[in-house]
Amino acid sequence: MAIPRIELFKDLSEEELSELEKNSLKELFKKKESIFSEGEPSEWFYILTKGKVKITKLSYDGKEIILELIKAPDFFGGLAVLKGFPYPASAIAMEDSEVIKIPKDKFLKLVEKYPSINRAMLSFLIDRVKTTQETLKNIALERVDTRIASTLLRLSEKYGRHERDGLMIDLRLTKQELADMVGTTVETAIRVMSKFKKSGYLNEKDGKIIITNINKLKELGSES
């Protein structure tokens, strides 16, 4: 088991990373398997080393809303561990995934010892809380095409990779997953994506979305 040198741990020495590994556990999760559920005690800090995880909440009518997608290597569950409250959302494997679990007490000691980790954590978490708030606000207030456009732009900022044909979102995303991210039906998501393709805003290749006209998508994403 090896903890990847994610941005959060960039200041740790190899010895310190090795010590952290000794106090951690590796766990495998099958596709659709729950890693933790909303309301559970935050006993572990998670590092995703393989696969993809979705962070979700249930709406009042019981519909799943995807707040964020986590692609390896990255971390999740940090805010609850850092602040000492139950997990505010659920984490579910979107494909067969591997995580490294760091016990809460070990992680908090590490944060206390290295202020740089604390600062980096707060910066990452502020961005994630902002993303969650924007997602929920968009679902409540904006048109579906605007919601999808702003969601694709947000994903491109995190997972974007410039290709010859445009800006590829380096993440396989089903229409159902996209629908769950914007609070709509899969049929509506398919219709809007088809419209975007016909308008020349984007394309798809090998299950990945390529933004071909980012300026038009930004115009759509800023509409309300």
Side-chain angles (χ1 to χ4, degrees):
M1 176 181 66
I3 293 179
R5 189 171 284 281
I6 56 177
E7 183 71 14
L8 199 62
F9 297 150
K10 65 180 181 179
D11 292 333
L12 296 186
S13 68
E14 292 300 324
E15 291 77 14
E16 287 162 337
L17 267 180
S18 179
E19 183 63 27
L20 191 58
E21 288 167 8
K22 292 177 184 176
N23 291 290
S24 304
L25 297 175
K26 181 174 76 173
E27 192 166 353
L28 303 177
F29 291 90
K30 292 292 186 181
K31 182 179 180 179
K32 297 185 179 180
E33 189 175 356
S34 173
I35 299 171
F36 59 73
S37 298
E38 180 179 352
E40 287 183 359
S42 53
E43 299 296 337
W44 302 92
F45 175 81
Y46 292 85
I47 299 174
L48 181 65
T49 52
K50 292 180 184 177
K52 186 171 67 173
V53 167
K54 60 183 177 181
I55 307 299
T56 72
K57 287 183 76 73
L58 291 179
S59 65
Y60 289 115
D61 59 0
K63 180 176 175 55
E64 180 183 81
I65 298 173
I66 298 178
L67 301 178
E68 189 175 7
L69 300 180
I70 308 294
K71 178 186 174 185
D74 205 346
F75 71 89
F76 59 100
L79 181 60
V81 169
L82 200 61
K83 295 301 182 182
F85 52 70
Y87 294 117
S90 300
I92 301 167
M94 300 178 74
E95 56 192 42
D96 290 353
S97 300
E98 176 186 279
V99 301
I100 292 176
K101 301 163 55 175
I102 302 175
K104 179 178 181 177
D105 60 337
K106 300 295 182 184
F107 182 73
L108 292 178
K109 286 179 181 177
L110 190 69
V111 169
E112 185 179 349
K113 184 176 180 181
Y114 295 97
S116 63
I117 294 180
N118 193 22
R119 290 193 297 270
M121 274 285 290
L122 290 175
S123 177
F124 282 123
L125 294 175
I126 286 170
D127 287 342
R128 288 186 176 177
V129 169
K130 182 181 177 183
T131 296
T132 297
Q133 290 175 335
E134 288 176 351
T135 297
L136 295 175
K137 183 195 76 172
N138 290 349
I139 288 173
L141 300 178
E142 297 178 349
R143 302 196 320 261
V144 175
D145 55 350
T146 300
R147 301 199 311 252
I148 289 179
S150 60
T151 296
L152 294 178
L153 289 168
R154 189 171 70 246
L155 290 173
S156 73
E157 290 175 0
K158 186 171 184 180
Y159 300 116
R161 191 180 75 200
H162 288 282
E163 299 281 330
R164 184 180 62 182
D165 299 332
L167 183 62
M168 174 184 282
I169 299 174
D170 193 13
L171 184 77
R172 283 187 170 81
L173 190 67
T174 68
K175 297 301 186 296
Q176 183 64 65
E177 290 162 356
L178 181 60
D180 291 342
M181 292 186 77
V182 301
T184 191
T185 63
V186 67
E187 293 81 9
T188 299
I190 291 171
R191 177 178 55 79
V192 172
M193 290 293 285
S194 178
K195 183 177 76 172
F196 285 177
K197 287 181 189 176
K198 289 179 181 177
S199 300
Y201 301 160
L202 54 82
N203 208 337
E204 291 184 84
K205 182 179 179 181
D206 299 327
K208 296 182 180 180
I209 297 167
I210 302 173
I211 299 174
T212 52
N213 192 331
I214 196 165
N215 290 329
K216 283 295 185 181
L217 213 58
K218 284 180 178 178
E219 288 177 14
L220 274 173
S222 64
E223 293 178 1
S224 58

